[in-house]
Amino acid sequence: MYIRDILAPSAPGAEAGGSGNGSASASGRANKRLDGHQLLILTDAARAPELFDPESAWRRRVAERHPGLRVVAHDQDTWRDRAFPRDLDWAHATMLLSGAVFPDPDVAPRMEYIQLQSAGADPVNQTPIFRETDVAVCTTNGVHGPQIAEWVIGTFLALNHQLPHFLDLQKEGKWKQTWPNEGMQDGVKQRVGILGYGSIGRQVARVAKALAMDVVAYTNHPRPTPASRRDMGYIVPGTGDPAGEFPSAWYSGTTDAAIDEFLGCGLDWLVIAVPLTSSTRGLISEARLQLLSDCAKKRGSAVQPFVTNIARGPVVDTDGLMKALDEGWIRGAALDVTDPEPLPEGHPLWSCRNLIVTPHVSAMSTSLGPRIADVLELNLQRFSEGEKLINQVNRKEGY
């Protein structure tokens, strides 16, 4: 762990900037040089070297556009190391990039903008600086879509085609053409329901459509018009569903009846991609997994539904999921998140049939750091122009 203090040329009066614990999007004040502002970067330098190297293209662009901005970069993987770095200059910090470590309001009284490294706001939404101030908090929604969608599709196809079974045979050096043929089904015309049609869900939809699957979407709020279905967040070029045109049906609503209507629409595959909030905790219960199964039986499906969770572990009832796998209500599942997490050694979930579990790694990519830097750069520009920040969290809804 080390600190690099990367100083851009300071303007006269630089110490006087920043209004303190105020929403950047609400201020409407342009300050293109960002005079008086200090950005603290708390992240793993190995994953985002462009944020640490004063000679990187990213650093040069930021210094040229905002010569009044002072940047302090601190090498700390805040997902693994939650220690609060008290030796940093929090008193003058007005902006922060962090994963899971945040200051209390009295420690950083001038803070105006926090840029998360995650697509969800759950790392910060129970902290005092989120609950007790109006500091603008933004996610990096959009930077994870390509790699997580590949994980979603890859694990789905792996279990559909029994690849874990054949990999075990490969390790044993055995050529055996035996497998449960009734469970082998390609994706053509299968219906995938994407619970949470954000940037990740939209990229899953893009790839699923390439496999000739039918996509149906669920969002919290209605999307009745073409304009309302557009993705207004950060988008990796060439990915996702910017216009919201892939779903053949669009469900919405926060009531139990609305969720059940979506789950009962004849899904062959449920992809869970909602943020973790008080309303989504335990959303996929044992009863709702049973509902998926009952609907498949009623329509005479050859196989039971498949379930994928790349949201957060507590969205799915773990005991209910294990029962659904054991009883054959669902034909398989893929989890990159679990409840509890980390999943302890010896936990019965490890030994469930037709299950792939990975340790919350689906977002990993060599492109992740540059994409996070891209969102940060975009928001610095918007902040300097007094515009609303991209991916800003709605405090009432928690995402």
Side-chain angles (χ1 to χ4, degrees), residues 50-127:
E50 56 279 321
L51 298 179
F52 286 77
D53 181 3
E55 300 305 317
S56 72
W58 189 92
R59 285 295 306 127
R60 290 198 302 270
R61 285 196 307 273
V62 169
E64 288 171 4
R65 292 172 183 168
H66 315 297
L69 177 66
R70 182 172 184 255
V71 180
V72 178
H74 182 65
D75 184 7
Q76 180 176 345
D77 183 348
T78 61
W79 301 108
R80 297 181 180 180
D81 179 4
R82 302 295 178 94
F84 185 75
R86 297 187 178 278
D87 54 342
L88 296 181
D89 183 12
W90 292 103
H92 295 95
T94 58
M95 306 173 182
L96 171 67
L97 170 73
S98 182
V101 171
F102 307 98
D104 285 340
D106 60 333
V107 173
R110 297 176 62 208
M111 188 64 64
E112 296 187 45
Y113 155 50
I114 294 176
Q115 180 63 61
L116 304 176
Q117 298 177 45
S118 55
D122 52 290
V124 72
N125 63 17
Q126 297 301 315
T127 64

Side-chain angles (χ1 to χ4, degrees), residues 221-254:
H221 299 290
R223 301 285 189 268
T225 65
S228 68
R229 294 184 176 187
R230 295 194 63 84
D231 185 355
M232 303 305 294
Y234 175 84
I235 302 173
V236 176
T239 72
D241 182 12
E245 60 188 359
F246 291 149
S248 63
W250 203 297
Y251 294 82
S252 63
T254 58

Side-chain angles (χ1 to χ4, degrees), residues 197-247:
Y197 202 64
S199 62
I200 295 169
R202 288 171 186 254
Q203 179 62 7
V204 171
R206 174 179 286 270
V207 182
K209 291 293 286 185
L211 296 174
M213 301 184 76
D214 177 36
V215 173
V216 296
Y218 168 89
T219 51
N220 199 356
H221 299 290
R223 301 285 189 268
T225 65
S228 68
R229 294 184 176 187
R230 295 194 63 84
D231 185 355
M232 303 305 294
Y234 175 84
I235 302 173
V236 176
T239 72
D241 182 12
E245 60 188 359
F246 291 149

Side-chain angles (χ1 to χ4, degrees), residues 92-217:
H92 295 95
T94 58
M95 306 173 182
L96 171 67
L97 170 73
S98 182
V101 171
F102 307 98
D104 285 340
D106 60 333
V107 173
R110 297 176 62 208
M111 188 64 64
E112 296 187 45
Y113 155 50
I114 294 176
Q115 180 63 61
L116 304 176
Q117 298 177 45
S118 55
D122 52 290
V124 72
N125 63 17
Q126 297 301 315
T127 64
I129 202 162
F130 184 84
R131 297 173 66 87
E132 300 172 9
T133 77
D134 62 351
V135 172
V137 177
C138 302
T139 70
T140 47
N141 189 33
V143 306
H144 310 90
Q147 61 270 35
I148 292 183
E150 290 178 10
W151 184 97
V152 168
I153 297 292
T155 51
F156 172 74
L157 295 177
L159 281 174
N160 254 16
H161 293 272
Q162 302 291 320
L163 294 188
H165 166 71
F166 291 115
L167 288 172
D168 288 340
L169 291 177
Q170 178 184 341
K171 292 175 183 177
E172 297 174 10
K174 295 179 180 179
W175 181 282
K176 293 176 64 176
Q177 290 183 322
T178 57
W179 60 87
N181 189 58
E182 67 275 8
M184 304 284 281
Q185 184 180 30
D186 58 52
V188 176
K189 295 185 179 180
Q190 286 197 56
R191 170 168 279 197
V192 51
I194 301 177
L195 183 64
Y197 202 64
S199 62
I200 295 169
R202 288 171 186 254
Q203 179 62 7
V204 171
R206 174 179 286 270
V207 182
K209 291 293 286 185
L211 296 174
M213 301 184 76
D214 177 36
V215 173
V216 296

